[in-house]
Amino acid sequence: MSGHLIPVLWLCGPPGVGKSTVAWEIYADLTRAGVPAGYVDIDQVGMCYPEPACDPGRYVLKADNLAAMVASFRHSGARCVVVSGVADVACARLHADRTPDAAVTLCRLRVAPDELRERLARRGEHGPMVEEAVRNAEELDRNDVADVCVETSGRSVAEVTRLVREQTGELFVPVAAPSLPDGDAARALAPAPTVNDAPGPVLWVCGPRGVGKSTVGWLVSEAVRRTGVTTAFVDLEQIGFSWPVPADDPGNHRHKARSLAAVWQSFHASGARCLVVNGAVDRPADVRSYTDALPASTFTVCRLHAGPEQLRERVMLRGQGRSWAAPGDPLRGLPAARLHQVADNAIATAAALERSALGDLRVETDGRGVDEVAQAILAETGGWPGLGDLAGGAAEAGRGILERD
């Protein structure tokens, strides 16, 4: 696609303004219209802690990983990309300038201070954090460098989505497939070559839907990070929003593996020495997509298991919104009948995974809280990631950290 800029629509603004929600709606609208597209929340490609002193806020890291993600979307055939995240528009402009071969349109979402306070209160946030968000919003009003600003006060998600599409319509125009030279189009759809030579241990937490992969994976990464090892974390679902999904790869693993390899390269360059990944996988062949993409890394695949009753209960709770509001969560708000179907599928998947014995390690989750499951992983892996004295006490340190939390 050399010489052809891929359009990127980036929604930014203060916390609570609705960046992720509106961006997801725009991405969904594009896919419903048949437009090959990608979506990424910038925060999802910046989870590496502790952050380096030379990159406070991890803005450079996020910028590099966004550029890598845009390239991966292009190789998957996307004609446009939607991005959400970053409160500071000036930092978003920095990101945009570091994303080659992309035409970035920055759209700032604005909300009145009182309504912003109300929105954050509904999210359970109070006190200094809310006032900091209000100050941030007021600073954006005084020093705005966005291409477009859309007022969200008193408007529904649908109204804001429509206004964003209208006001960015001349700037954010998906590339038409016929406008690409045949050779470039073929390269865009072909797998990107593997260039990742970053070494390091990778712990992959997998299992059926509703088993608790995301929460447990995050707790493990936090426990390891607090032992002094710089640790990166990636949710495969959050780097896998690329449509259409190939018929011969329904899990979209080729795209996810390519994206994971790209962001791990940046994480490692910024100081990360181990990587925790969570995400679904059904077949050993799919695991190989990732190990082939990160040939210098050492994988430990940890499969979480739950019985039918536990899986059904967890799926139903997630559908009711009693979990982290991940962008694009397909379960949130579904009717009960549909959630029961999802639970049935999760139960069938768990049984199939049991039969295949996928993974290096199986951890039972029934009757355990997520902190207990995270402790079990650290213990049963012998103190993963095993990077010398600092990481040698990961299991014990993790136990104390999780108990305090």
Side-chain angles (χ1 to χ4, degrees):
M1 294 177 71
S2 175
H4 295 266
L5 300 181
I6 184 169
V8 175
L9 175 61
W10 190 332
L11 273 66
C12 49
V17 78
K19 301 182 292 291
S20 297
T21 303
V22 174
W24 179 262
E25 287 302 312
I26 292 172
Y27 168 70
D29 284 347
L30 288 165
T31 61
R32 283 191 289 264
V35 178
Y39 165 76
V40 64
D41 184 318
I42 193 70
D43 291 332
Q44 293 294 324
V45 293
M47 290 189 282
C48 184
Y49 305 95
E51 64 187 26
C54 62
D55 186 20
R58 292 156 285 117
Y59 291 118
V60 174
L61 171 63
K62 292 178 184 178
D64 290 343
N65 275 342
L66 176 63
M69 286 295 300
V70 169
S72 183
F73 286 129
R74 290 174 60 151
H75 278 284
S76 294
R79 304 300 170 184
C80 60
V81 177
V82 182
V83 178
S84 62
V86 178
D88 190 325
V89 183
C91 290
R93 180 64 69 187
L94 164 69
H95 287 44
D97 291 343
R98 293 175 68 94
T99 307
D101 300 325
V104 180
T105 298
L106 288 177
C107 177
R108 178 169 72 93
L109 301 185
R110 185 194 178 280
V111 62
D114 288 345
E115 185 166 337
L116 179 57
R117 290 186 178 94
E118 291 177 8
R119 293 184 189 182
L120 291 172
R122 288 197 295 269
R123 283 173 30 172
E125 298 179 12
H126 304 279
M129 185 177 297
V130 172
E131 294 310 310
E132 176 63 26
V134 172
R135 286 193 293 272
N136 178 271
E138 292 171 343
E139 179 66 21
L140 290 175
D141 283 340
R142 290 190 294 270
N143 302 287
D144 191 9
V145 296
D147 301 300
V148 175
C149 180
V150 174
E151 178 64 58
T152 71
S153 302
R155 290 175 169 148
S156 67
V157 172
E159 290 175 306
V160 175
T161 301
R162 175 181 57 79
L163 287 171
V164 171
R165 294 297 302 273
E166 289 177 356
Q167 296 184 33
T168 62
E170 294 183 1
L171 300 171
F172 179 65
V173 181
V175 177
S179 71
L180 294 172
D182 291 341
D184 284 336
R187 283 192 293 274
L189 295 172
T194 297
V195 294
N196 188 305
D197 58 359
V202 178
L203 177 68
W204 184 351
V205 182
C206 65
R209 176 168 284 178
V211 78
K213 301 182 293 294
S214 299
T215 305
V216 169
W218 176 252
L219 286 174
V220 169
S221 72
E222 281 287 273
V224 173
R225 187 264 295 181
R226 295 185 198 186
T227 67
V229 178
T230 301
T231 307
F233 176 82
V234 174
D235 185 321
L236 291 178
E237 184 174 20
Q238 293 297 319
I239 64 170
F241 295 125
S242 177
W243 187 90
V245 176
D248 65 341
D249 183 22
N252 215 9
H253 292 296
R254 290 195 294 268
H255 169 81
K256 292 176 184 176
R258 183 168 57 245
S259 297
L260 182 66
V263 299
W264 172 231
Q265 194 84 20
S266 297
F267 282 136
H268 190 271
S270 70
R273 290 300 170 259
C274 62
L275 171 65
V276 178
V277 175
N278 71 267
V281 64
D282 299 327
R283 305 175 303 168
D286 294 329
V287 175
R288 286 195 293 273
S289 296
Y290 297 85
T291 56
D292 289 348
L294 283 74
S297 297
T298 303
F299 278 73
T300 300
V301 179
C302 175
R303 175 169 56 89
L304 304 185
H305 176 75
E309 292 183 5
Q310 286 280 303
L311 282 175
R312 190 172 302 279
E313 179 181 355
R314 294 173 190 177
V315 167
M316 299 304 290
L317 290 174
R318 186 167 149 189
Q320 295 164 14
R322 295 169 63 179
S323 64
W324 173 61
D329 188 341
L331 302 189
R332 187 172 292 265
L334 285 181
R338 179 68 184 109
L339 288 172
H340 279 295
Q341 292 178 347
V342 172
D344 289 341
N345 290 336
I347 292 166
T349 297
L353 291 172
E354 285 284 271
R355 290 192 296 271
S356 68
L358 185 144
D360 304 298
L361 176 69
R362 176 192 183 276
V363 174
E364 181 64 57
T365 69
D366 279 359
R368 284 172 159 174
V370 289
D371 54 346
E372 294 177 277
V373 176
Q375 291 170 22
I377 291 173
L378 290 169
E380 294 183 36
T381 57
W384 185 90
L387 295 174
D389 293 338
L390 281 176
E396 189 59 35
R399 182 184 305 278
I401 290 164
L402 292 168
E403 287 173 354
R404 289 196 301 274
D405 291 350

